[in-house]
Amino acid sequence: MGVSIDINPFDAPDAVQVPDGDPDALYRDRETLASATRAAEVWAARLAANASDFESAWKLARARYWLGTNGLPEAERRNALEQGIAAGQTAATLYPQRPEGHFWMAANMGALAESFGMRQGIKYRKPIKESLEKVLALEPEFLQGSADRALGRWYFKVPGLFGGSNSKSEEHLRKALSYNQNSVITHIFLAETLDAQGKSDAARQEARAALDAPLDPDWAPEDRRFKQQAEALLKKLSR
């Protein structure tokens, strides 16, 4: 459990000035880059002003993940993800028995591993898996089974020589769907896993399920992008 430290921003002349604005409201408008960036700035300033601010730490990690995978220009994404890992690590250290820090640290690592070459994949392969397994041990239903979904993707992406397994990928993805049958991205991941196993009909069914699923109001910005992926995947699988 974290240690509470009270910091008066007026105690020192160089104290951090926290920007105005409601970061949660700004983050809900994250499809607008300026809003997502501002939300991250507010959470970063709050964390700088109070190093024990767990909520700001994990929310900053989440915002950095969005910016590093969707919001920022390509050249700026790696730095955002690296900052997201650091914020997630801070949250996980402050409250190791809460899932948020572990999950968002793993998410940022995973995005780095998938987008920035083999070296990043090798560097983060083990820490990603360990962090996600920690989330499963703490709260398997967290974010509607997101740790199972991410582990399913881990087993799909990692070569078999290093622990990857399409059968384990399918197992974790189906478990994730047991928490939320309308998860667009889980259906997409399952479609790709099934296709890799030669289960073409089932793969197309999952891609169609991703297209047909309603938008989750809390994750609509992500779901809109995922549905574009699902449409492209279904076309590929239908050739």
Side-chain angles (χ1 to χ4, degrees):
M1 204 170 169
V3 178
S4 178
I5 302 174
D6 294 325
I7 296 178
N8 186 331
F10 300 104
D11 281 347
D14 59 348
V16 174
Q17 296 300 309
V18 178
D20 293 331
D22 178 354
D24 292 307
L26 288 164
Y27 190 71
R28 285 193 291 272
D29 184 42
R30 58 191 173 277
E31 287 179 291
T32 302
L33 177 57
S35 296
T37 301
R38 184 67 169 173
E41 289 172 351
V42 174
W43 281 317
R46 289 181 179 180
L47 185 59
N50 180 359
S52 66
D53 188 344
F54 169 76
E55 181 174 320
S56 290
W58 77 256
K59 288 183 176 180
L60 176 59
R62 182 187 61 181
R64 294 297 189 196
Y65 175 79
W66 168 263
L67 290 167
T69 56
N70 292 280
L72 290 171
E74 194 71 33
E76 301 175 36
R77 291 186 175 190
R78 181 169 181 167
N79 185 55
L81 294 170
E82 289 173 344
Q83 292 177 347
I85 292 170
Q89 178 65 64
T90 296
T93 300
L94 285 170
Y95 283 85
Q97 297 307 310
R98 291 278 298 271
E100 294 92 338
H102 302 288
F103 179 79
W104 289 110
M105 179 172 60
N108 281 279
M109 288 179 181
L112 266 178
E114 191 161 343
S115 302
F116 293 95
M118 183 180 298
R119 181 176 295 180
Q120 297 299 314
I122 293 171
K123 177 180 179 180
Y124 290 118
R125 182 180 68 245
K126 185 177 179 181
I128 290 168
K129 186 170 184 281
E130 289 176 345
S131 294
L132 293 173
E133 288 175 340
K134 180 68 172 179
V135 176
L136 286 183
L138 292 171
E139 190 178 323
E141 70 278 11
F142 175 70
L143 288 180
Q144 301 176 326
S146 287
D148 269 307
R149 180 180 67 243
L151 270 173
R153 193 62 169 174
W154 187 94
Y155 279 109
F156 175 74
K157 284 289 187 177
V158 171
L161 182 64
F162 299 106
S165 165
N166 285 334
S167 62
K168 287 185 178 180
S169 172
E170 180 180 354
E171 177 184 343
H172 279 285
L173 292 169
R174 292 196 183 281
K175 180 63 176 178
L177 284 173
S178 73
Y179 295 104
N180 178 11
Q181 284 290 332
N182 290 319
S183 171
V184 178
I185 192 58
T186 307
H187 283 297
I188 292 173
F189 286 170
L190 182 55
E192 292 181 338
T193 292
L194 293 170
D195 182 54
Q197 293 174 303
K199 303 175 182 178
S200 301
D201 290 342
R204 284 191 290 271
Q205 183 178 345
E206 292 300 326
R208 173 56 62 185
L211 280 173
D212 292 342
L215 295 177
D216 185 324
D218 291 331
W219 301 97
E222 289 82 0
D223 279 354
R224 278 190 278 271
R225 286 161 170 75
F226 296 153
K227 282 180 176 289
Q228 292 174 354
Q229 296 177 30
E231 185 174 5
L233 178 60
L234 184 59
K235 288 180 181 177
K236 175 185 174 184
L237 295 174
S238 299
R239 291 173 186 165

